[in-house]
Amino acid sequence: MPVDPVLSLFSDRFFMGAVAVYVLAMLMHAVEYAAARDARAKVLVGAGAPVEVEVADPAVPPVPAGRTRAERFGRMAVSLTVLGVLLHLGSLVLRGLAADRWPLGNMYEFTSAICLAAVAGWLVVLRRSPALRPVGVFVLTPVLILMFLAGTVLYAQAAPVVPALQSYWLVIHVTTVTLASGLFLVTGVASLLYLLSRSGRAAGLVAKLPSTEALDRVAYRVTVVAFPIYTFAVIAGAIWAEAAWGRFWGWDPKETVAFVAWVVFAAYLHARATAGWRTNRAAWINVLGFAVVVFNLFFINMVVAGLHSYAGL
């Protein structure tokens, strides 16, 4: 079926619009972060969790929510992020309609969808724990870097996929990998900020972040959600491989690195539940897991030749 050029054009415009809105949201978050009081918010992530605010001067009472300019910028940043997600989702939907297929057939679409999953996952975290909002600037920064790469280096015109990808397993396997990878981006950022805060380095950068306990809890709870999704994606990929190539596992480079990432995240969850490992050591393992996911996304797809190379750029 021929590609619809009008829908394809609108998809690209929606993508650029989402990038522009995310940039504005990141700037709003940065303004909020810079203007915030020198305080640390101690939160327990989860529904109905109590929130305690510790200010630098005990004589100064907490400022009620919504009373400061920083708070207003933060709320505007979240509203813009929601708008960006809607534009971003529209971009992928229009790309799928233009090519009459599931819009995860090349690196441009895959990277864009990972960013969408990351931002949507972050909004869910904020819904449960609004006090974590200062972290938003650090989540949107890698998202915008990835979207810039997607829209420039990785960009591909809307087109039908090769026969090897014309399978319902594309919807199952690639969608779950995308969702898990986006959530792992959120956990990677949280763990990096946790390590920075614990190390005492870049004190001016992390002084206004939520407490290390809150960052650690975000990283752990989001990983608890993402890991089963990733596990299912690996299993679905093995089933698809058996249907397409006649074997469940062949140690293809992408399969191998995906398995390594699974082992690392499993080790993180184990370390996080083990006394003596649940602080810096566990956070480093989580950061390593996200690094492996990024390595698999870019280096394996773009440099190493393998059975998964047909997705192209």
Side-chain angles (χ1 to χ4, degrees), residues 194-204 206:
Y194 170 87
L195 290 169
L196 280 173
S197 186
R198 291 270 299 184
S199 70
R201 300 174 183 176
V206 300

Side-chain angles (χ1 to χ4, degrees), residues 176 180 183-184 220-235 262 265 269:
T176 49
L183 294 177
F184 285 142
Y220 175 67
R221 293 200 171 183
V222 177
T223 304
V224 166
V225 174
F227 183 72
I229 299 173
Y230 191 73
T231 301
F232 175 79
V234 172
I235 295 172
W262 185 89
F265 284 116
L269 292 176

